[in-house]
């Protein structure tokens, strides 16, 4: 994470003073400072006694104005109060980011703002930005929508909760894929997409999970197909540091068919990043590969090197190291396959 100094400068106006905010808020016993993890240089956050938010925010706003400050006071979830500079907030931050990217020649399209609390209302006022209020949004936000955005076709109230509501909006606005490969029955049978090696990684590990759960009948066909897509000299670097043939490792995978049948076993990848290594026809896919059996969860930081030959993706090398969060036990290296 790299600070955006120009944004910080916009917040460092002469009408913001954190010390004055702290001084004035001490006059209200109804306010309790939230933990340090919730505090920022340009945000002071409090808990407030139930039912006292609206009256207190009005009085506090007047006090801070008399002290020469120009602030926004946000009351949310019936228990939180945030004091921020007038030019701060999610809406202003999004507007700033869109303008900055445009000035750099990057024209943001398909931007989706997602929210569930009154904090997020500003996001839905930015022109040309799609918006979704998830079904579990607080009443204050839904009230704002009925008064300000009910007739705006770019802002919807989803029928699904949390992340499911966001996925629903991606589909509603046609912003991109809104169905997980896990939910596509024919995903494994689809033709490989050489333009998207990240999908090839997802495809393999979805197969790997289903194979070990014993859910694929003609798994030998898939194994043969995956071996065929590996270069003859392809290498697998195990998280223990041992190197072996990638094709031999695929044979080990085949021998594990159904070994997790009846168990709570999942495999997934995240933080998938495809990069060009400046060599024509070659690319690298980096990701975190997770594996969970019952209550035990492990993660490896994984790098896959691909080449493109004749319209097909060829696996050249797979390198795995235990992630920093992985609590590796003595027998984990022997139990981890790929």
């Amino acid at each position: 994470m790299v600070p955006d100094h120009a944004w910080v400068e916009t917040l460092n106006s002469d009408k913001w003073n954190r010390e004055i905010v702290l001084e004035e808020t001490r006059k209200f016993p109804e306010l309790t400072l939230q933990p340090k993890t919730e505090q920022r240089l340009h945000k002071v956050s409090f808990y407030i006694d139930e039912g006292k938010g609206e009256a207190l925010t009005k009085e506090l706003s007047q006090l801070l104005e008399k002290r020469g400050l120009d602030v926004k006071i946000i009351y949310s979830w019936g228990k939180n109060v945030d004091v921020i500079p007038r030019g701060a907030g999610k809406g202003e931050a999004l507007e700033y980011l869109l303008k900055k990217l445009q000035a750099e020649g990057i024209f943001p399209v398909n931007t989706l703002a997602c929210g569930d609390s009154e904090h997020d209302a500003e996001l839905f006022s930015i022109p040309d930005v799609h918006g979704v209020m998830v079904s579990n949004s607080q009443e204050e936000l839904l009230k704002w929508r009925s008064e300000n955005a009910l007739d705006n076709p770019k802002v919807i109230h989803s029928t699904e909760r949390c992340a499911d509501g966001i996925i629903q909006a991606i589909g509603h606005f046609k912003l991109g894929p809104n169905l997980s490969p896990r939910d596509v029955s024919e995903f494994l049978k689809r033709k490989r997409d050489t333009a998207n090696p990240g999908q090839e990684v997802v495809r393999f590990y979805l197969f790997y999970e289903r194979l070990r759960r014993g859910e694929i009948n003609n798994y030998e066909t898939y194994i043969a197909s995956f071996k065929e897509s590996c270069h003859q000299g392809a290498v697998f670097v195990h998280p223990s540091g041992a190197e072996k043939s990638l094709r031999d490792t695929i044979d080990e995978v085949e021998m594990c068919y159904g070994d997790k049948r009846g168990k709570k076993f999942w495999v997934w990848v995240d933080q998938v990043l495809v990069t060009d290594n400046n060599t024509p026809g070659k690319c690298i896919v980096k990701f975190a590969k997770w594996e969970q059996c019952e209550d035990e969860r492990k993660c490896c930081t994984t790098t896959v090197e691909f080449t493109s030959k004749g319209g097909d993706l060829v696996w050249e090398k797979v390198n795995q190291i235990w992630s920093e969060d992985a609590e590796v036990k003595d027998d984990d290296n022997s139990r981890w396959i790929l």
Side-chain angles (χ1 to χ4, degrees), residues 320-337:
Q320 292 187 322
I321 58 173
W322 293 115
S323 72
E324 294 180 0
D325 298 330
E327 297 179 4
V328 183
K329 299 176 183 176
D330 291 340
D331 60 345
D332 282 338
N333 280 322
S334 61
R335 291 189 296 151
W336 186 271
I337 302 174

Side-chain angles (χ1 to χ4, degrees), residues 29-42:
E30 308 95 319
L31 292 175
T32 305
L33 267 176
Q34 292 186 15
K36 287 183 178 180
T37 54
E38 302 304 315
Q39 308 298 335
R40 303 287 184 274
L41 189 61
H42 299 94

Side-chain angles (χ1 to χ4, degrees), residues 16 33 53 68 138 154 175 183 220 241 251 276 300 319 323 325:
W16 169 256
L33 267 176
Q138 63 174 223
K154 282 184 172 273
L175 303 180
D183 299 322
E220 296 93 346
D251 287 336
D276 185 349
C300 269
N319 187 72
S323 72
D325 298 330

Side-chain angles (χ1 to χ4, degrees), residues 233-281:
V235 174
F236 170 52
V237 182
H238 190 274
S240 65
E243 287 191 17
K244 59 175 81 174
S245 161
L246 183 55
R247 289 192 168 201
D248 289 348
T249 305
I250 298 297
D251 287 336
E252 289 181 41
V253 170
E254 183 176 14
M255 293 170 61
C256 293
Y257 177 78
D259 68 333
K260 301 298 183 183
R261 185 185 280 117
K263 297 182 179 180
K264 295 177 181 178
F265 178 74
W266 296 276
V267 175
W268 68 98
V269 300
D270 64 16
Q271 297 177 329
V272 180
L273 178 66
V274 181
T275 59
D276 185 349
N277 68 350
N278 297 320
T279 304

Side-chain angles (χ1 to χ4, degrees), residues 93-272:
L94 178 57
E95 264 191 318
Y96 169 84
L97 180 60
L98 294 175
K99 288 177 181 176
K100 178 177 180 176
L101 290 172
Q102 205 160 346
E104 294 174 358
I106 304 168
F107 296 90
V109 294
N110 294 349
T111 304
L112 177 66
C114 316
D116 63 358
S117 78
E118 196 173 14
H119 273 283
D120 305 313
E122 298 173 351
L123 293 170
F124 304 113
S125 301
I126 310 301
D128 302 321
V129 171
H130 299 89
V132 55
M133 300 172 187
V134 291
S135 69
N136 54 300
S137 295
Q138 63 174 223
E139 284 302 317
E140 291 93 331
L141 182 60
L142 299 180
K143 181 182 176 184
W144 180 92
R145 176 177 178 261
S146 66
E147 294 173 353
N148 300 277
L150 199 57
D151 298 324
N152 185 351
K154 282 184 172 273
V155 178
I156 65 168
H157 180 205
S158 71
T159 58
E160 302 291 338
R161 292 172 50 83
C162 305
D164 280 335
I166 297 172
I167 293 171
Q168 183 182 13
I170 290 171
H172 176 85
F173 293 120
K174 296 180 172 57
L175 303 180
N178 67 314
L179 195 61
S180 165
R182 196 180 288 276
D183 299 322
V184 180
S185 58
E186 299 297 311
F187 183 74
L188 290 179
K189 296 180 182 179
R190 286 183 176 178
K191 187 178 179 182
R192 291 192 180 95
D193 183 0
T194 56
N196 193 344
Q199 282 287 77
E200 178 68 1
V201 165
V202 172
R203 183 173 178 269
F204 173 78
Y205 279 110
L206 182 59
F207 162 76
Y208 175 83
E209 176 193 83
R210 291 179 180 175
L211 177 134
R212 298 194 66 183
R213 281 163 41 167
E215 296 175 350
I216 300 179
N217 295 326
N218 57 337
Y219 66 92
E220 296 93 346
T221 304
Y222 290 105
I223 286 287
S225 174
F226 279 119
K227 283 185 70 173
E228 192 70 27
S229 66
C230 295
H231 188 274
Q232 285 282 0
V235 174
F236 170 52
V237 182
H238 190 274
S240 65
E243 287 191 17
K244 59 175 81 174
S245 161
L246 183 55
R247 289 192 168 201
D248 289 348
T249 305
I250 298 297
D251 287 336
E252 289 181 41
V253 170
E254 183 176 14
M255 293 170 61
C256 293
Y257 177 78
D259 68 333
K260 301 298 183 183
R261 185 185 280 117
K263 297 182 179 180
K264 295 177 181 178
F265 178 74
W266 296 276
V267 175
W268 68 98
V269 300
D270 64 16
Q271 297 177 329
V272 180

Side-chain angles (χ1 to χ4, degrees), residues 1-40:
M1 300 293 285
V2 180
D4 188 315
H5 298 292
W7 172 244
V8 173
E9 284 304 310
T10 65
L11 302 181
N12 283 336
S13 72
D14 56 0
K15 292 196 173 184
W16 169 256
N17 187 306
R18 200 171 189 282
E19 294 307 314
I20 291 178
V21 172
L22 290 169
E23 182 183 328
E24 292 296 331
T25 50
R26 289 191 193 102
K27 298 175 182 177
F28 297 88
E30 308 95 319
L31 292 175
T32 305
L33 267 176
Q34 292 186 15
K36 287 183 178 180
T37 54
E38 302 304 315
Q39 308 298 335
R40 303 287 184 274

